[in-house]
Amino acid sequence: MKFLYLHNAIDSNRLCSYDTITAMEIQDSPYLKQLFVCVNKKEQGKSCCADKQGELIRDRLKAYVNDHGLKGKVRVSGSGCVDFCEQGANIMVYPDYKWYSHVTPADLDKIIETELKPLVPALDAGSSGPKPVQAFLFDLGNVLIRFDHMLAAKRLTNRTAIPPLALYQLVYESPLVTDHDEGRISTRQFYEGVQQQLGVKIPYEEFVDVWNEIFWEEKEMTSRVEWLLQNYPGYLISNTNRLHFDYLRRWYPVLEKLNGWILSYEVGALKPKPEIYQRALEMIKLPASKVLYIDDRADLIEAGRRLGFQTHRFTGWQAFSRDLQTRGIFV
Ligand code: FES
């Protein structure tokens, strides 16, 4: 989420000019866990964490993090005074909202056992030994690439005078789309059918542009998928048509990095029909239980689960990253 504060818009009538745009971003913490160790030093005679070996405690925790592959996933930082000076040394653990007080170096084994050690096996599972997830099966629309059919409906409205919502229903909820997506009709036949449905003539090239210019990429998701594809096999399973897919391949190179595509118009079956998932398993050559299937539609996730896939219902790259972390995969 991004907030923009446009000072000159707020204060445009006044003589002073503000031409700076301040941008603030709010995002999920990049760390699984953060430990803040108070290292504050107070003037002589006053109780403080520095005098209770705060720095030594911080450094030992840092060393454990570095030595056990948790760097970048867990952050240990020294903090200023948190106003519990008599109870020092103090350690605050987030996002657990947990405070340790009266900590001495002798307590570190217990703190490490509780706070850090459980994260180490998860990391090891992601980098060596048997992996809980051995391959990924991604949905396309609104998972790998975002889209909005209403963008096309609104543009077609200009040619037809049919309101966008009614136009959406006429086109996208007609059997034409299913026939096209299951490969029973060609792109040309689909084009003719849409014109007939809307009662207008549209030049073919214009129709193709309108039909295809509904997609955009979310860089945060793409970069995570690219990382996954360097470490795991990844496949695409999509309800789509040749017109869209040829266009997407041209504009979104991440699709070329996948190990294989299972496309409804080639298989002749849309998700959630079992045939398309069966084709996926034949291509992946792994049992469904070793494959993580990611889709944004609840009914499709349910179909995948019934077939034995591990599943993730996609709502955004942040939640996807968090789910991967619980599986020992740190993207
Ligand atoms: S010096 Fe650590 S809490 Fe005040």
Side-chain angles (χ1 to χ4, degrees), residues 167-228:
L167 195 145
Y168 175 90
Q169 287 164 340
L170 266 176
V171 175
Y172 289 99
E173 294 176 7
S174 80
L176 273 177
V177 169
T178 309
D179 288 344
H180 193 209
D181 284 358
E182 289 196 332
R184 281 188 293 279
I185 58 173
S186 68
T187 294
R188 274 280 166 183
Q189 287 170 314
F190 176 69
Y191 160 65
E192 300 292 347
V194 171
Q195 288 187 115
Q196 218 167 13
Q197 193 88 336
L198 300 178
V200 289
K201 285 280 174 204
I202 308 166
Y204 182 71
E205 288 69 27
E206 183 183 333
F207 171 76
V208 169
D209 286 349
V210 170
W211 181 250
N212 283 335
E213 288 171 2
I214 60 167
F215 298 102
W216 69 96
E217 190 173 34
E218 205 167 34
K219 295 281 182 202
E220 292 88 346
M221 182 60 183
T222 302
S223 63
R224 281 162 177 79
V225 171
E226 286 176 339
W227 184 90
L228 287 172

Side-chain angles (χ1 to χ4, degrees), residues 62-87:
K62 262 183 186 287
Y64 184 91
V65 164
N66 291 340
D67 294 348
H68 291 80
L70 292 172
K71 196 163 182 217
K73 313 301 171 195
V74 175
R75 179 81 184 168
V76 177
S77 307
S79 88
C81 177
V82 290
D83 216 13
F84 275 62
C85 316
E86 293 294 335
Q87 287 101 309

Side-chain angles (χ1 to χ4, degrees), residues 38-52 55 79-88 90:
C38 178
V39 293
N40 188 51
K41 174 85 181 151
K42 286 190 163 180
E43 60 197 64
Q44 200 143 26
K46 288 195 175 172
S47 185
C48 67
C49 294
D51 288 349
K52 293 167 187 166
E55 288 188 354
S79 88
C81 177
V82 290
D83 216 13
F84 275 62
C85 316
E86 293 294 335
Q87 287 101 309
N90 292 296

Side-chain angles (χ1 to χ4, degrees), residues 52-278:
K52 293 167 187 166
Q53 299 184 285
E55 288 188 354
L56 179 73
I57 291 166
R58 177 200 58 194
D59 292 346
R60 290 217 176 138
L61 290 171
K62 262 183 186 287
Y64 184 91
V65 164
N66 291 340
D67 294 348
H68 291 80
L70 292 172
K71 196 163 182 217
K73 313 301 171 195
V74 175
R75 179 81 184 168
V76 177
S77 307
S79 88
C81 177
V82 290
D83 216 13
F84 275 62
C85 316
E86 293 294 335
Q87 287 101 309
N90 292 296
I91 302 176
M92 290 70 69
V93 182
Y94 293 94
D96 307 50
Y97 298 100
K98 198 191 284 178
W99 284 40
Y100 290 90
S101 295
H102 300 291
V103 178
T104 71
D107 299 312
L108 282 174
D109 283 349
K110 188 157 187 244
I111 292 171
I112 286 169
E113 190 75 28
T114 310
E115 303 297 338
L116 301 179
K117 215 168 171 184
L119 300 172
V120 175
L123 190 73
D124 288 347
S127 58
S128 66
K131 292 172 182 168
V133 173
Q134 293 187 10
F136 288 84
L137 181 61
F138 294 99
D139 174 37
L140 175 59
N142 284 338
V143 173
L144 289 190
I145 308 290
R146 305 293 306 277
F147 77 95
D148 183 357
H149 283 146
M150 286 303 286
L151 294 174
K154 283 177 187 162
R155 283 176 70 182
L156 287 171
T157 286
N158 298 336
R159 286 206 149 258
T160 60
I162 302 170
L165 194 57
L167 195 145
Y168 175 90
Q169 287 164 340
L170 266 176
V171 175
Y172 289 99
E173 294 176 7
S174 80
L176 273 177
V177 169
T178 309
D179 288 344
H180 193 209
D181 284 358
E182 289 196 332
R184 281 188 293 279
I185 58 173
S186 68
T187 294
R188 274 280 166 183
Q189 287 170 314
F190 176 69
Y191 160 65
E192 300 292 347
V194 171
Q195 288 187 115
Q196 218 167 13
Q197 193 88 336
L198 300 178
V200 289
K201 285 280 174 204
I202 308 166
Y204 182 71
E205 288 69 27
E206 183 183 333
F207 171 76
V208 169
D209 286 349
V210 170
W211 181 250
N212 283 335
E213 288 171 2
I214 60 167
F215 298 102
W216 69 96
E217 190 173 34
E218 205 167 34
K219 295 281 182 202
E220 292 88 346
M221 182 60 183
T222 302
S223 63
R224 281 162 177 79
V225 171
E226 286 176 339
W227 184 90
L228 287 172
L229 294 176
Q230 284 168 15
N231 294 280
Y232 296 85
Y235 298 81
L236 179 77
I237 185 164
S238 177
N239 290 347
T240 189
N241 50 76
R242 185 178 295 283
L243 206 48
H244 274 165
F245 198 65
D246 286 351
Y247 172 85
L248 287 163
R249 280 184 65 191
R250 259 203 322 279
W251 289 99
Y252 300 102
V254 66
L255 298 177
E256 299 293 332
K257 297 178 183 170
L258 290 151
N259 297 73
W261 310 313
I262 304 99
L263 307 170
S264 62
Y265 72 88
E266 289 183 347
V267 179
L270 285 159
K271 294 178 285 181
K273 290 182 179 168
E275 300 95 290
I276 190 166
Y277 293 105
Q278 198 49 47

